[in-house]
Amino acid sequence: MDCIFCKIVNGEIKSRLIMESKNSIAFLDAFPVTKGHTLVIPKTHYGKIQDMSQDDSADLFRVVYEVVSKIDKITGSTLLAIHNGKESGQEIPHVHVHIIPRYNATETLWTQRKLMKDIELNKLVQKIRSFVV
């Protein structure tokens, strides 16, 4: 399969891992809409939420809960987004939940993505990992 998220799960593509469970992983988005934008994905390839097994779905949302709790300790607020299928704007056909930190409610989200330097990304991953849920 030529899925970028499956390649991340298999270790073929590097990611900035925040958390891993038996069935899911959370990592920083490579093209964030805000600083700390995180993706949570199932390790098994599914195109849509409703295609997932109940165990994988429960695990995915447990990881979302834990990661959003950590990020909220930094920002105080987050936006959660799921594009469920191509027609909804899903760019990569693998289930993924966006956890998007909100630092300022008036900032533009989807049109002005900023690339961060490696050192900033590495520090951010360490900061998020350090919080206990």
Side-chain angles (χ1 to χ4, degrees), residues 87-128:
E87 296 76 16
S88 71
Q90 184 183 35
E91 294 175 356
I92 298 171
H94 185 121
V95 168
H96 54 287
V97 178
H98 295 266
I99 300 174
I100 303 168
R102 299 293 293 152
Y103 300 94
N104 177 349
T106 62
E107 69 188 359
T108 301
L109 279 182
W110 303 106
T111 59
Q112 297 181 1
R113 294 182 181 219
K114 298 175 183 123
L115 294 178
M116 294 173 58
K117 295 180 181 179
D118 280 348
I119 194 163
E120 292 175 291
L121 292 167
N122 293 335
K123 285 180 182 178
L124 183 59
V125 166
Q126 292 303 319
K127 186 173 184 179
I128 294 170

Side-chain angles (χ1 to χ4, degrees), residues 18-19 66-76 123-133:
I18 291 172
M19 182 179 172
E66 290 187 32
V67 174
V68 79
S69 296
K70 292 173 184 246
I71 291 174
D72 267 5
K73 289 183 182 202
I74 297 170
T75 66
K123 285 180 182 178
L124 183 59
V125 166
Q126 292 303 319
K127 186 173 184 179
I128 294 170
R129 286 181 184 162
S130 72
F131 288 102
V132 177
V133 176

Side-chain angles (χ1 to χ4, degrees), residues 10-125:
N10 294 328
E12 298 171 47
I13 295 176
K14 178 183 162 190
S15 70
R16 289 188 166 78
L17 186 69
I18 291 172
M19 182 179 172
E20 181 172 9
S21 67
K22 179 181 175 188
N23 301 331
S24 306
I25 63 171
F27 54 92
L28 290 180
D29 191 308
F31 301 98
V33 294
T34 65
K35 182 178 175 180
H37 180 175
T38 299
L39 299 176
V40 182
I41 68 169
K43 290 180 178 179
T44 300
H45 184 89
Y46 297 102
K48 291 186 167 188
I49 293 281
Q50 62 269 34
D51 299 336
M52 296 177 69
S53 72
Q54 288 185 354
D55 287 343
D56 282 351
S57 180
D59 186 79
L60 178 83
F61 285 99
R62 183 185 59 76
V63 172
V64 168
Y65 173 86
E66 290 187 32
V67 174
V68 79
S69 296
K70 292 173 184 246
I71 291 174
D72 267 5
K73 289 183 182 202
I74 297 170
T75 66
S77 183
T78 50
L79 168 69
L80 300 177
I82 302 170
H83 298 276
N84 200 39
K86 182 178 180 179
E87 296 76 16
S88 71
Q90 184 183 35
E91 294 175 356
I92 298 171
H94 185 121
V95 168
H96 54 287
V97 178
H98 295 266
I99 300 174
I100 303 168
R102 299 293 293 152
Y103 300 94
N104 177 349
T106 62
E107 69 188 359
T108 301
L109 279 182
W110 303 106
T111 59
Q112 297 181 1
R113 294 182 181 219
K114 298 175 183 123
L115 294 178
M116 294 173 58
K117 295 180 181 179
D118 280 348
I119 194 163
E120 292 175 291
L121 292 167
N122 293 335
K123 285 180 182 178
L124 183 59
V125 166

